[in-house]
């Protein structure tokens, strides 16, 4: 939902896109129904008609975004022939998705401090699903003798959290010496560097 595109005709989709932007930029509590409606160019009654409440709208935005990511990842790895290629597809796809949809990464940050258990249940469903996709790739590689035995659960956490951290804190990394203009310099290389270091290590053997 992040890429610049023509204003959708469907008012429900306009509401979703406006809400995603505002929730990502300001957080749930700081956004009003009126603000979302104005951004989507609809009246507040239409927002209640489609979603019932601001909380349900927030839930719908999270579910849409994370389901979109899950479908994207599954499609990519289905095209790969072996665990190494699947790993490359997963990590490159993960980076690509969050670079193209940074609002999703920002909303994930917002969810961390959210108190509603139903919202967390939606988040957990997709977040855990994406974890098991990667864990399954790593397990398959071990079983095939391609990877040495290691803790696949921790590897999945490390790899995915590194990407999320980069996406959400890119403006900080951009200040590091030699990493200026990181959006042009690092985005295309991030997954490749992660894959190389994960598969080959950094020791000069």
């Amino acid at each position: 939902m992040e890429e610049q595109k023509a204003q959708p005709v469907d008012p429900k989709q306009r509401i979703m896109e406006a809400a995603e932007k505002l929730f990502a930029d300001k957080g749930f509590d700081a956004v009003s129904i009126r603000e979302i409606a104005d951004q989507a160019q609809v009246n507040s009654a239409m927002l209640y008609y489609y979603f019932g409440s601001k909380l349900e709208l927030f839930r719908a935005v999270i579910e849409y975004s994370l389901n979109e990511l899950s479908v994207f990842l599954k499609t990519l790895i289905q095209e790969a022939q072996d665990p190494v290629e699947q790993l490359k597809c997963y990590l490159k796809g993960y980076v690509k998705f969050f670079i193209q949809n940074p609002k999703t990464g920002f909303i994930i940050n917002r969810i961390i401090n959210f108190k509603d258990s139903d919202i967390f249940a939606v988040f957990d469903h997709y977040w855990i699903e994406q974890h098991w996709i990667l864990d399954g790739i790593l397990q398959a590689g071990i079983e095939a003798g391609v990877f040495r035995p290691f803790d696949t659960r921790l590897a999945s956490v490390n790899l995915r959290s590194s990407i999320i951290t980069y996406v959400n804190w890119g403006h900080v990394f951009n200040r590091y010496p030699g990493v200026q203009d990181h959006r042009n310099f690092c985005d295309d290389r991030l997954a490749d560097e992660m894959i190389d270091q994960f598969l080959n290590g950094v020791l000069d053997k």
Side-chain angles (χ1 to χ4, degrees):
M1 290 198 298
E2 177 64 25
E3 293 179 351
Q4 293 294 323
K5 57 188 77 173
Q7 184 83 321
V9 175
D10 179 14
K12 184 176 182 181
Q13 186 66 19
R14 292 208 307 272
I15 293 169
M16 289 276 288
E17 292 187 3
E20 180 189 46
K21 181 180 186 306
L22 291 168
F23 288 143
D25 290 346
K26 303 172 68 173
F28 178 82
D29 292 332
V31 177
S32 69
I33 289 288
R34 171 62 64 86
E35 192 174 5
I36 297 170
D38 289 347
Q39 181 91 10
Q41 299 178 7
V42 301
N43 59 50
S44 298
M46 186 170 290
L47 191 151
Y48 284 112
Y49 171 77
Y50 284 118
F51 299 100
S53 68
K54 186 174 76 166
L55 185 62
E56 285 303 309
L57 174 56
F58 189 48
R59 177 191 176 103
V61 167
I62 295 166
E63 188 158 19
Y64 180 93
S65 298
L66 293 182
N67 179 64
E68 192 175 39
L69 173 56
S70 286
V71 171
F72 179 63
L73 293 172
K74 290 175 184 176
T75 301
L76 288 177
I77 65 174
Q78 283 175 355
E79 301 171 357
Q81 301 300 316
D82 58 70
V84 173
E85 288 304 313
Q86 288 181 334
L87 176 63
K88 291 178 180 179
C89 287
Y90 184 102
L91 293 178
K92 288 183 177 182
Y94 211 75
V95 171
K96 180 178 180 180
F97 183 90
F98 281 107
I99 295 303
Q100 293 182 345
N101 302 274
K103 299 299 184 200
T104 301
F106 298 149
I107 287 176
I108 288 171
N109 260 6
R110 303 288 188 185
I111 296 170
I112 292 172
N113 296 316
F114 207 72
K115 306 300 182 184
D116 188 90
S117 59
D118 289 339
I119 296 295
F120 255 105
V122 173
F123 172 76
D124 280 348
H125 171 79
Y126 290 102
W127 204 241
I128 292 172
E129 178 183 51
Q130 292 155 22
H131 163 79
W132 287 124
I133 293 172
L134 180 53
D135 183 82
I137 293 170
L138 300 176
Q139 289 280 2
I142 293 172
E143 292 170 7
V146 177
F147 304 147
R148 65 171 176 78
F150 59 89
D151 191 324
T152 56
R153 294 166 300 173
L154 291 181
S156 175
V157 170
N158 286 334
L159 290 167
R160 293 170 67 219
S161 61
S162 295
I163 294 170
I164 292 293
T165 301
Y166 170 75
V167 171
N168 286 335
W169 289 79
H171 61 288
V172 175
F173 298 140
N174 191 34
R175 300 204 298 268
Y176 288 9
V179 193
Q180 284 78 14
D181 194 22
H182 75 283
R183 283 298 182 223
N184 293 328
F185 175 70
C186 291
D187 289 352
D188 293 337
R189 292 181 49 188
L190 179 63
D192 288 332
E193 288 292 333
M194 291 181 69
I195 292 164
D196 180 63
Q197 291 174 21
F198 182 79
L199 294 178
N200 302 315
V202 295
L203 293 177
D204 187 8
K205 297 179 180 179

